[in-house]
Amino acid sequence: MTYDVARVRGLFPSLGDGWIHLDPQLGAQIPDRVATAVSTTFRNSATSHSSRYPAARRSTQVVEEARQAVADLVGGSPEGVVLGPDHSVLLAWLAEALSTRLGLGTGIVLSRLDDEANVAPWLRIANRYGAQVQWAEVDIETCELPSWQFDELVAANTRLVAVTAASSLVGSAPDVRVAADLVHDVGGLMVVDASGAAPYAVLDLEDLKADVIAVNAAAWGGPRVGALVFRDPGLLDRLPSIALDQQATGPARLELGGLHYSLLAGASASIDCLASLDEGAQGTRRQKLEMSIGSLQDYHDSLFAYLLDRLDRPHLMTIGTAASRVPCVSISVDGVESDKVAARLADNRIDVVSGVHGGSRLLEALGVADAGGAITVGLAPYTTRHEIDQLASVLDSMA
């Protein structure tokens, strides 16, 4: 079925503000059903799900539904879904829980392609306990993360590989499975940050062979709720607990503090919305997700090719040409600093990502920061060709 972007745009009331939103990496626009789910749950749930009265039971149901929705999104089990305020916070908690495995004499493999959320927590643990850090480097011409280097980086003492499923800056999507197979051969764990890959790709824990996958609902139009999904839920009970509840089992062992039930309801609604992007999608929620994301991919493939064509100008440099990528790209304008480019676009009611909080190891490695920085443009389910034309028109005026 043809992807109906006009129908999809009708799901997002905030698009009526007159702005062009090309910054889903900072959080996609919120569908109406998500806002409704959040406000309704605020009114009808309790602040705790440990009691027996009706509102508390509704809170329990919200948590269970959120675990199931996230499990459906990544092809996992709800028993392995850890929920929390943000994927970066959860990755930090995971690093603390795994710290006993990452002591002196052990090895960690990190990637220059990754956002800081999947780098900084592991560096802190390595610095604290003496684990040796190895870096998977990016091809500076294509921004690909060559998989052959993991043969050299993963050694007998490697206990963890942390890598992104897709870069939120240049879109490069590395072959995660190669690294996963290698680290599993030496008894290590694979942690994949998929916050940049959803909703652009159908995620599958078994295909990726990730031991833990991290996602962030804000990436596909949900509230700022993060999740870790364990391929083997039993691993949760074998890790040291960081929970305040000494009797906590399963996902609760990594859920520090209380859960925000209204936001969890919004996260579930956002996954349902993602599953309904294709009107013809049928079957289970997982099947609907596969069909809808597949339709969105077809739409984005054509739209992203059009974007790259419109950006093919002498005064513009698009960063990265990876063969496997999601539809986002970083752009540098010759002789103009990225903040000024973003300000000019904002004057024309176009919102893009400018700068990265805390800096970017990837852009630093590429030398982009020395050349004035870059803006990042990402496609969303509601992006249109007309919006790309308007972006290109403003950038052309800066030649």
Side-chain angles (χ1 to χ4, degrees), residues 226-312:
L228 301 178
V229 187
F230 284 67
R231 187 160 55 97
D232 173 15
L235 178 58
L236 283 159
D237 287 321
R238 299 195 296 272
L239 295 179
S241 175
I242 66 167
L244 301 180
D245 179 3
Q246 297 182 16
Q247 307 302 317
T249 61
R253 292 169 64 82
L254 291 185
E255 293 173 345
L256 183 61
L259 296 172
H260 203 313
Y261 306 115
S262 58
L263 296 186
L264 292 182
S268 298
S270 70
I271 294 173
D272 286 333
C273 187
L274 188 59
S276 68
L277 291 179
D278 186 331
E279 268 189 307
Q282 297 179 347
T284 65
R285 178 162 48 197
R286 175 66 179 176
Q287 291 169 331
K288 290 179 181 178
L289 283 164
E290 291 172 349
M291 293 180 65
S292 288
I293 293 174
S295 294
L296 178 61
Q297 284 178 317
D298 291 341
Y299 175 71
H300 274 167
D301 285 347
S302 173
L303 193 63
F304 192 58
Y306 183 73
L307 170 64
L308 294 180
D309 181 66
R310 291 302 312 266
L311 296 176
D312 188 12

Side-chain angles (χ1 to χ4, degrees), residues 293-382:
I293 293 174
S295 294
L296 178 61
Q297 284 178 317
D298 291 341
Y299 175 71
H300 274 167
D301 285 347
S302 173
L303 193 63
F304 192 58
Y306 183 73
L307 170 64
L308 294 180
D309 181 66
R310 291 302 312 266
L311 296 176
D312 188 12
R313 302 289 188 269
H315 70 293
L316 301 178
M317 179 179 70
T318 56
I319 301 168
T321 58
S324 178
R325 65 192 302 182
V326 298
C328 72
V329 62
S330 285
I331 309 161
S332 179
V333 180
D334 187 27
V336 185
E337 293 183 356
S338 60
D339 286 346
K340 293 182 179 179
V341 176
R344 179 74 166 271
L345 290 168
D347 288 340
N348 288 271
R349 303 177 74 84
I350 301 173
D351 205 8
V352 297
V353 179
S354 175
V356 180
H357 182 66
S360 166
R361 295 174 192 271
L362 172 61
L363 296 183
E364 288 176 3
L366 297 175
V368 174
D370 297 333
I375 63 167
T376 301
V377 171
L379 303 187
Y382 41 76

Side-chain angles (χ1 to χ4, degrees), residues 113-235:
L113 190 64
D114 275 69
D115 292 338
E116 203 66 9
N118 202 29
V119 172
W122 308 114
L123 287 180
R124 284 197 296 270
I125 295 301
N127 291 335
R128 189 185 308 163
Y129 297 107
Q132 180 183 11
V133 175
Q134 300 271 31
W135 288 95
E137 302 290 353
V138 175
D139 185 310
I140 61 173
E141 296 294 330
T142 66
C143 289
E144 291 179 315
L145 192 73
S147 58
W148 55 260
Q149 62 188 309
F150 288 102
D151 281 314
E152 302 174 359
L153 295 171
V154 177
N157 70 334
T158 303
R159 292 295 169 264
L160 181 127
V161 174
V163 69
T164 183
S167 168
S168 65
L169 293 177
V170 297
S172 303
D175 191 342
V176 170
R177 179 65 179 268
V178 171
D181 288 341
L182 288 168
V183 74
H184 290 156
D185 285 344
V186 296
L189 297 174
M190 183 75 179
V191 177
V192 175
D193 180 3
S195 59
Y200 302 120
V202 177
L203 301 173
D204 191 298
L205 270 175
E206 286 301 322
D207 286 347
L208 294 173
K209 289 300 180 187
D211 295 291
V212 185
I213 190 170
V215 293
N216 203 22
W220 60 78
R224 193 156 294 279
V225 169
L228 301 178
V229 187
F230 284 67
R231 187 160 55 97
D232 173 15
L235 178 58

